[in-house]
Each structure stands twice: as C-alpha cells, then as structure tokens.
Amino acid sequence: MPFQYKHVLMVGATSGIGAAMADRLVQEGSKVIAVGRRQDRLDDFVHRHGKDKASAAKFDITDRQNMDAFVRDITHTYPELDCVFLNAGVQSQVNLAQPAKVDLSAFHSEITTNFSCFVDLTVKFLPFLMSKDTETSLIYTSSNLAIVPAAPLPAYCASKAALNSFIYCLREQLRDSSVKVIELLPPPVQTELHDYMGHESGRQLGMPVRAYVDETYQGLDSGSDQVVVGSIGPADTFNEIIDKRRDAFQNLAKMMRGRH
C-alpha cells in the first residue's frame, strides 16, 4: 500500500532529515504542519510551499509543561490530521572513561529529547489518532545505532535503542487498531546533528540528506512499517540481525498475548 497519509504533522521540521522529509511530503501531495523551535525556518517553509500546502507551529518538544496544550491546539486546528511524524533529535559525544567530566544533566537531557518526549507525544496524540474511522499513522525516526551502538555516543545510542524497543511494543499493542506504527532507521546523514564535530567536518559525515530522503520515501511508499537505509558493517549481516531480532520479538509477543 503506497504512502497514504495526506495531513502530516512533522515534528523536528526546521533542520536535517525532518526539514528534507517535510519538503518531500509536500512535493508528493501531502499537507504538512511543520513543528520546530526556530520561527524563521518555519516561516520559510510555509512561504516556499504556500499556505494551501504547508503550515507551521512553533513548539519545543522538551516543554512538557505545555505539551497538553500543544496537542490540544494541533488536533483542534487540524482535525484532518492523519499522521504524526516524530523526528527531532540531538547527539553528543560522552567519554565515560573520564567520569569527572561527564555532564549528567546533558546526558539525561539527550535521553529526554530523543526518547522520553517521543513517548509523551505518542501517548497524548494516540486518543485522537485512534478515534479516526480511517487509518492513521505514527512515524518515528530511529537510527541504525539503535541496533549496533557507537561507543562514543552512549546517550544517543541508548535513547535510540529505547525508542526502537518502545516502537516494537507499541506496534504490537496497536496491532488491532487503525493506527499504523512505522520506524525509520537511517545511517549517518549529512545534517546539523553532527555539528559538535565541527561545522564543516560534521556536515560531511554520512549520506547526503536528499539521497536519504529519496530512499526512505520509496520505503514508505512501499507500505513497509520498518524502513532501514544503510547498515553498520556488511548489509547482509546487519539486516539479518534486524530480521532475527524482530522474529524473536514477534514470537515472544504471540506467546504473551492474553496473559496480560
């Protein structure tokens, strides 16, 4: 089944993968509500695509105090919304071999941004999405590093691994609902995410963002609920790990149905 969602809320739409994916969805015929912290970029998105195809809402997903109001405003203003695309994220290096230099506040903030806020938004948007008569969707940008972690990035990898596990559980629990749960697992992509490495070197790391979006959109258009682009190490081995892990999860899920 091709990508069918025509009113998409894109969280994290002011830079990187989110910005590029928002542009692509508009080009493919979806109306996109861009969400981010930078008003100038939100305004530019609406100006480039026109108000008939694009709109915007400024919000910081770590603002948990105002999240209920944000969700209420979005669902009231855009009752036709049929897809929530959660894409925001931050990444930093943490040297655990030098514990005195570890900023625990920053570590936990990274986990919150990349994982906990996604959980909050999921739970708060679910009643609206589940109330629809037609299929709706939650789409998450995860990472190849959710499967095989990179040692210098413990907070980022842990947050993406947690998100990956959460998505598996969510998909299983919503299996009989009208909400489809889709996970995107990108490789490193040339975006602002890596600016901590230096502006020039960081943004040259990985796959060009437009190439990534092209390949990912093909996966979405195919109807897949798990779109893996790139690999860590040999592709056959990496994809085998993912497939076997999902098989093991599904076997366990079937065994546990009806027991809880």
Side-chain angles (χ1 to χ4, degrees):
M1 181 181 294
F3 188 77
Q4 65 189 77
Y5 311 108
K6 300 305 178 185
H7 297 88
V8 180
L9 183 76
M10 177 64 71
V11 175
T14 55
S15 65
I17 290 173
M21 185 62 74
D23 287 339
R24 179 60 181 269
L25 292 177
V26 171
Q27 293 166 10
E28 296 292 341
S30 296
K31 294 183 179 180
V32 176
I33 307 131
V35 177
R37 295 175 298 169
R38 287 172 278 195
Q39 188 65 54
D40 58 335
R41 296 191 181 189
L42 294 173
D43 293 342
D44 180 65
F45 175 75
V46 176
H47 177 75
R48 282 187 289 110
H49 294 294
K51 293 183 178 180
D52 58 327
K53 298 178 181 179
S55 54
K58 184 180 179 181
F59 186 68
D60 182 345
I61 65 169
T62 65
D63 182 4
R64 296 166 116 172
Q65 182 176 354
N66 292 306
M67 190 177 288
D68 284 327
F70 166 72
V71 172
R72 185 169 57 250
D73 289 346
I74 290 293
T75 54
H76 176 76
T77 305
Y78 306 100
E80 69 279 10
L81 180 70
D82 59 1
C83 176
V84 175
F85 199 137
L86 300 175
N87 178 81
V90 293
Q91 182 183 100
S92 63
Q93 293 181 333
V94 180
N95 187 352
L96 298 173
Q98 297 181 350
K101 296 182 178 180
V102 173
D103 184 339
L104 287 174
S105 177
F107 189 100
H108 289 294
S109 177
E110 191 165 335
I111 298 288
T112 296
T113 301
N114 295 347
F115 173 62
S116 301
C117 291
F118 280 28
V119 174
D120 292 353
L121 287 167
T122 297
V123 172
K124 294 177 187 299
F125 272 111
L126 262 179
F128 173 82
L129 295 174
M130 295 175 73
S131 71
K132 295 283 190 173
D133 294 330
T134 56
E135 183 179 294
T136 57
S137 181
L138 283 158
I139 304 178
Y140 301 84
T141 298
S142 178
S143 172
N144 285 354
L145 296 178
I147 310 302
V148 179
L153 308 172
Y156 183 83
C157 295
S159 68
K160 292 298 185 178
L163 180 62
N164 175 257
S165 293
F166 175 78
I167 291 167
Y168 271 36
C169 296
L170 179 67
R171 186 186 290 124
E172 165 65 15
Q173 293 189 25
L174 296 181
R175 68 187 184 279
D176 296 325
S177 79
S178 60
V179 183
K180 184 173 183 179
V181 179
I182 301 172
E183 180 180 17
L184 312 181
L185 291 98
V189 177
Q190 296 174 6
T191 68
E192 295 177 23
L193 185 69
H194 308 121
D195 277 1
Y196 63 88
M197 298 179 181
H199 186 279
E200 292 300 325
S201 59
R203 297 195 190 186
Q204 294 176 5
L205 175 66
M207 186 177 190
V209 66
R210 297 296 174 183
Y212 167 74
V213 166
D214 288 345
E215 190 168 341
T216 296
Y217 186 81
Q218 291 177 13
L220 290 171
D221 198 46
S222 74
S224 175
D225 65 3
Q226 188 178 56
V227 181
V228 183
V229 176
S231 66
I232 296 175
D236 289 346
T237 301
F238 185 68
N239 290 323
E240 183 181 6
I241 292 170
I242 293 175
D243 291 343
K244 286 185 175 180
R245 183 168 178 271
R246 185 161 184 179
D247 285 345
F249 171 83
Q250 290 173 335
N251 290 335
L252 178 60
K254 290 177 183 177
M255 183 181 72
M256 296 184 70
R257 287 174 191 171
R259 298 188 180 186
H260 297 275

